[in-house]
Amino acid sequence: MRLRDLNSSSPLKFVHSSFHGVGHAFVQQAFRVFGFPPPIAVPEQKDPDPNFSSVRCPNPEEGESVLELSLLLAERENARVVLATDPDADRLAVAEKSDGCGWKVFTGNELAALLGWWMFFTWKENHSEPADARSICMLATTVSSKILQAFARVEGFHFEETLPGFKWVGNRIHELSQTGSRVIFSFEESIGFLCGDAVLDKDGVSSAAVVAEMAAYLHNKHLSLSQQLHNIYQTEVSTLEEELRKVTAALVDEFLEPEKNNLIRRLV
């Protein structure tokens, strides 16, 4: 089944807060473009308000303490996923209802692991040749998680780090595009994400729609975002452990080889 068909038929419900900023109308439109019904808006926070009157801090990166209205609405509406864009809608926070244990608010690095996996997964759906991966790239700032670097080592695509700040990311995307490389995902740990390369800056609006599509796909596979994050980490840890074993074995062999030769000479 095509992703957009899954989107339109998904039973998942989403709540969105624009934190008294400009994101409401754009996120609603993005959901429609992706085939979803519009997310349930937090009414107290959907309209621009320069006083940010319903939050103590208009920064969704603060987590559960500033998502109170969103989480309460999600509980009432039986919505499993909460999306929150900051006032200028370039950053995105995500929370997911956990069975029996409240809400999981994802860090920027955790969301990047999920989105990096998803962007490569959907890219592979349309590119069957492994060699094609060498023409794509993912970027992260130096202060962010190294999870994309681990992905790249396993999957064969290109990965680079930039200085902190999305201006450096955007500049590098432009430079790589001049060489024929396509950047399919970029992030910084302070919940700034860019899925694709249509714009050269972090974008909470398109990222919200991509997270919803990923959540709908996983729900169809009987997985939550948290469960898939666990799967990602388990896979990467197993791969890195195997690489470490190989490196360790090679170093031990190199270290012991002279000793083995000396022993052989003494025995001859």
Side-chain angles (χ1 to χ4, degrees), residues 31-145:
F31 266 61
R32 285 192 289 269
V33 169
F34 272 62
F36 287 107
I40 304 164
V42 179
E44 301 91 337
Q45 298 175 340
K46 74 180 184 65
D47 297 321
D49 174 6
N51 296 314
F52 306 109
S53 52
S54 73
V55 289
R56 63 172 182 80
C57 173
N59 179 5
E61 193 181 1
E62 294 293 314
E64 195 165 347
S65 64
V66 294
L67 295 173
E68 183 178 5
L69 289 177
S70 302
L71 300 180
L72 288 172
L73 179 60
E75 293 280 4
R76 290 197 301 271
E77 296 287 345
N78 195 30
R80 292 193 62 85
V81 179
V82 166
L83 307 163
T85 47
D86 67 339
D88 61 351
D90 65 349
R91 293 190 293 151
L92 175 72
V94 178
E96 181 182 55
K97 179 74 171 176
S98 300
D99 292 329
C101 53
W103 288 86
K104 161 67 176 175
V105 181
F106 296 94
T107 68
N109 286 327
E110 289 172 336
L111 276 177
L114 284 163
L115 285 167
W117 163 78
W118 178 248
M119 293 303 292
F120 188 71
F121 172 79
T122 55
W123 179 87
K124 281 199 302 185
E125 290 292 291
N126 298 310
H127 299 81
S128 58
E129 294 296 326
D132 291 345
R134 293 197 294 267
S135 67
I136 63 170
C137 184
M138 293 192 191
L139 303 178
T141 59
T142 55
V143 296
S144 302
S145 162

Side-chain angles (χ1 to χ4, degrees), residues 213-226:
E213 186 164 75
M214 172 172 56
Y217 172 85
L218 290 171
H219 184 78
N220 188 59
K221 300 293 185 182
H222 308 291
L223 289 169
S224 66
L225 294 171
S226 296

